[in-house]
Amino acid sequence: MIMNMRKLVMMALMATAATTAFAQDALVKEAKKLAGKGQFAEAVKVITPALTSSETLDKAAAWHQYSDIFYTQHSGIAETAAKSTITKEVYDTLTMYSAGIDAWEAAVKCDEFDMLPNEKGKVKPRFRSESQNRYKNFGVQLVQAGQYFYQQKNNEKALKAWKLYCDMKNTTIFADVADFPKDAFYYDITYYVAFLAYQTKDFALAEKYAKITAENPEKVDDSNEILLFSKKENMKTKEDSVAYVTMVKELHKANPEQERYFNLLMEYYTRGNDTQGMAEWLQEESQINPQNSMVWALMGEAKMNEEKWEEAVALYDKAIEAKPDFVQCIFNAGRCYYASAMELQTKLADKNGMISNDNRAKVVEVVKKAEGYYVRARELDPNRDTCNWAYPLYQIYYFMKDNDKMKEIEAIDPSLAQ
């Protein structure tokens, strides 16, 4: 009797489960009927629980029907849109493109379940052929959807539509399709995906699609820009930093005429306060491109900051040789010579701070070198837009007790006379 009761209970439980399962699958049929009547919103509402319920026996069929609802809706509106130039009939653009996106996403999901082994362990896809025929040339719809949402400033949905388009040929649906369309604008869209991903700070995604874009030789420069700045924004570890600076160096080496890569490297070492790294890089640069005046200028600045005046001037002279009108380097060379002169004066003075005429002559000789550079800076930059040569020149003329020239400078900058 006890055994019979247990059997009855089990049978009841099984019957309940079967009833629930059949009820879930019945939702799919009901949704199909509603879609057939054009009641798309109601159809979606009815079928949605069956998509994720563990009671649904045939998930592939459920997702296929879900996809079919949106595809039918999209196709109906698209047909109206095509005729609207003649009929002037109003159509719902937003719903059309949204339905197109949802239709393709659901088709991909359907294929995932369709590829699962059946009860006999065999894979027998039932919906793939239909999906291939239906969506093979659907990429244009996704591209247009992306354009629409981008114009509406809905970057999130634009990115989604364009990414779906870019990924179409890599889905299982088209894995065995040899003649999948190769659209001429494919790499334009991969670029837009990379660009929007960068804009939304999804730097990993931006890098992924920038690399794909770089497969097109004509778009290498554009893709490198996104790839480079994605790496820059996404630097979190030492390895990330190394990868970034290595890429910038490679781009700089390949495009030495483009100043931006040099400037990015300069910014990288400056912001990181990596003086040793910058020194090593500049040494490399001086060998690769000795005509780059900025290299010598930066090396000169480093030596000036270390108060190694003679070395600094020698490097500034190289910068000036490469670029004769490099006013800042000319001015800085003058600063170095004047600082060197003041150090020499301190060194040659006696314990009371007095200096002999012979030793003063040695100091004046160095001061005059400083004057020569300041005068050149004055000639090149008379309005002092780049550097204020008036004050250091006034100091020099004061040191040499040249009253006439002091008055000349005071006329240029009256504040010096106070």
Side-chain angles (χ1 to χ4, degrees):
M1 183 66 177
I2 295 175
M3 289 299 292
N4 288 336
M5 285 297 294
R6 286 180 178 173
K7 286 182 179 180
L8 288 171
V9 171
M10 289 300 293
M11 288 174 65
L13 290 173
M14 290 173 66
T16 302
T19 301
T20 305
F22 285 124
Q24 290 294 332
D25 288 326
L27 296 178
V28 177
K29 296 178 181 179
E30 177 62 22
K32 186 175 183 179
K33 291 179 182 178
L34 291 169
K37 298 175 183 178
Q39 299 175 14
F40 301 112
E42 292 83 351
V44 169
K45 186 176 180 180
V46 166
I47 199 173
T48 297
L51 300 176
T52 55
S53 173
S54 59
E55 308 296 343
T56 304
L57 296 177
D58 195 344
K59 287 280 182 62
W63 279 101
H64 177 262
Q65 183 56 49
Y66 190 70
S67 176
D68 189 72
I69 293 168
F70 287 112
Y71 182 81
T72 303
Q73 184 180 31
H74 168 82
S75 299
I77 301 174
E79 185 177 348
T80 301
K83 297 177 181 178
S84 65
T85 53
I86 299 174
T87 64
K88 306 301 180 182
E89 187 175 350
V90 178
Y91 58 93
D92 188 344
T93 310
L94 174 62
T95 299
M96 178 178 70
Y97 287 129
S98 296
I101 292 171
D102 291 337
W104 170 242
E105 277 194 304
V108 174
K109 194 69 177 178
C110 166
D111 200 64
E112 289 179 15
F113 286 104
D114 210 17
M115 288 300 292
L116 295 177
N118 59 23
E119 63 276 1
K120 294 182 180 180
K122 295 182 179 181
V123 176
K124 293 184 177 181
R126 294 163 292 156
F127 305 107
R128 176 168 295 182
S129 179
E130 181 180 343
S131 291
Q132 287 176 346
N133 292 330
R134 176 175 281 182
Y135 294 105
K136 186 175 180 180
N137 295 299
F138 198 74
V140 175
Q141 304 297 323
L142 294 173
V143 170
Q144 291 175 345
Q147 290 173 330
Y148 170 77
F149 286 114
Y150 185 69
Q151 290 169 354
Q152 297 298 312
K153 302 188 184 304
N154 188 339
N155 288 349
E156 183 179 349
K157 207 153 186 179
L159 175 59
K160 182 179 183 180
W162 282 334
K163 183 177 179 297
L164 286 171
Y165 161 76
C166 294
D167 294 343
M168 283 189 84
K169 67 177 182 179
N170 297 319
T171 60
T172 54
I173 293 175
F174 294 111
D176 60 347
V177 176
D179 61 339
F180 187 82
K182 294 183 178 179
D183 301 314
F185 48 78
Y186 175 75
Y187 289 108
D188 292 318
I189 306 305
T190 60
Y191 171 78
Y192 291 139
V193 171
F195 175 75
L196 283 182
Y198 176 79
Q199 292 283 68
T200 56
K201 300 189 182 300
D202 190 341
F203 300 119
L205 188 66
E207 285 191 37
K208 176 183 176 181
Y209 284 89
K211 288 177 181 177
I212 295 173
T213 305
E215 293 172 4
N216 183 339
E218 296 179 0
K219 294 190 175 297
V220 170
D221 289 342
D222 291 336
S223 61
N224 280 340
E225 287 295 296
I226 293 177
L227 187 58
L228 183 62
F229 285 101
S230 292
K231 285 184 178 294
K232 181 182 178 182
E233 295 292 341
N234 204 30
M235 283 191 293
K236 297 177 181 177
T237 65
K238 183 178 180 180
E239 290 73 19
D240 293 337
S241 298
V242 171
Y244 167 73
V245 76
T246 299
M247 182 179 180
V248 184
K249 284 184 176 181
E250 289 174 352
L251 289 172
H252 176 52
K253 187 176 180 180
N255 307 276
E257 74 286 354
Q258 296 188 23
E259 293 183 3
R260 58 184 168 180
Y261 298 126
F262 179 88
N263 293 336
L264 284 171
L265 286 167
M266 181 171 63
E267 178 192 38
Y268 172 80
Y269 288 113
T270 302
R271 282 191 175 184
N273 199 27
D274 185 359
T275 53
Q276 182 178 347
M278 176 173 271
E280 292 173 356
W281 164 59
L282 289 173
Q283 191 60 45
E284 293 174 9
E285 283 290 312
S286 68
Q287 302 300 316
I288 297 170
N289 187 9
Q291 295 306 309
N292 187 340
S293 59
M294 186 58 70
V295 172
W296 303 111
L298 291 170
M299 294 173 72
E301 184 178 19
K303 293 301 180 183
M304 183 173 71
N305 291 337
E306 295 173 10
E307 298 185 358
K308 295 179 179 179
W309 311 120
E310 290 184 9
E311 292 181 50
V313 170
L315 291 165
Y316 281 134
D317 280 342
K318 285 184 176 292
I320 298 164
E321 182 181 349
K323 185 180 179 182
D325 61 348
F326 204 152
V327 176
Q328 190 62 58
C329 286
I330 295 169
F331 179 80
N332 283 347
R335 290 175 60 192
C336 290
Y337 267 127
Y338 188 77
S340 178
M342 295 303 99
E343 282 189 0
L344 180 62
Q345 177 173 259
T346 300
K347 180 180 179 181
L348 296 177
D350 59 26
K351 60 183 180 180
N352 295 317
M354 302 300 291
I355 189 171
S356 67
N357 290 334
D358 288 342
N359 284 338
R360 177 178 169 78
K362 294 177 182 179
V363 175
V364 169
E365 183 180 349
V366 181
V367 169
K368 284 185 176 182
K369 289 180 180 180
E371 179 192 11
Y373 280 97
Y374 285 137
V375 168
R376 284 176 63 187
R378 177 183 178 180
E379 291 170 353
L380 291 168
D381 185 27
N383 296 322
R384 294 178 287 170
D385 295 325
T386 301
C387 54
N388 185 9
W389 42 260
Y391 178 69
L393 263 181
Y394 188 81
Q395 281 185 307
I396 286 173
Y397 297 140
Y398 180 84
F399 177 83
M400 293 192 298
K401 300 178 181 179
D402 189 332
N403 292 327
D404 291 340
K405 288 187 176 181
M406 284 174 63
K407 289 179 180 179
E408 180 186 335
I409 300 300
E410 287 174 0
I412 294 171
D413 187 350
S415 66
L416 297 173
Q418 298 175 1

